[in-house]
Amino acid sequence: MSDNKDDKPYFLEDGTLVIPFSCPDHSYKYWKKEGKKLSEILAEMDTDKETWKKFTTDHHPDDTKEKAESSESEG
């Protein structure tokens, strides 16, 4: 295992999500049983809405916050 920060998921300039095989944290490997949901990984990476929509149909965290805030202001 490596302590290299490059072992964590990252995006290429063209928007491709890279999860290195050498990533020691298997929770980032969403395709494995112990992996997190892809939306959880994208949220950790603070992904913008446009990029988010390329990878998942789950609601973007900002949308969830905005909905909660509008509900609070209505009530």
Side-chain angles (χ1 to χ4, degrees):
M1 268 192 260
S2 168
D3 291 329
N4 188 343
K5 68 178 179 181
D6 294 332
D7 288 343
K8 294 208 179 247
Y10 61 93
F11 289 102
L12 296 178
E13 285 185 29
D14 67 358
T16 302
L17 174 63
V18 177
I19 300 177
F21 183 76
S22 60
C23 181
D25 187 349
H26 291 295
S27 68
Y28 286 117
K29 297 175 181 173
Y30 62 89
W31 59 90
K32 292 188 165 219
K33 188 169 99 173
E34 64 273 19
K36 300 176 186 178
K37 288 179 58 177
L38 183 55
S39 58
E40 292 176 49
I41 296 167
L42 294 171
E44 279 184 30
M45 297 175 72
D46 200 25
T47 306
D48 63 67
K49 289 182 182 183
E50 183 179 336
T51 305
W52 182 279
K53 289 178 183 178
K54 293 178 185 176
F55 293 97
T56 183
T57 57
D58 290 352
H59 293 290
H60 188 274
D62 287 350
D63 294 339
T64 306
K65 287 180 203 172
E66 289 170 7
K67 187 175 182 179
E69 288 172 0
S70 67
S71 295
E72 288 175 8
S73 63
E74 290 174 8

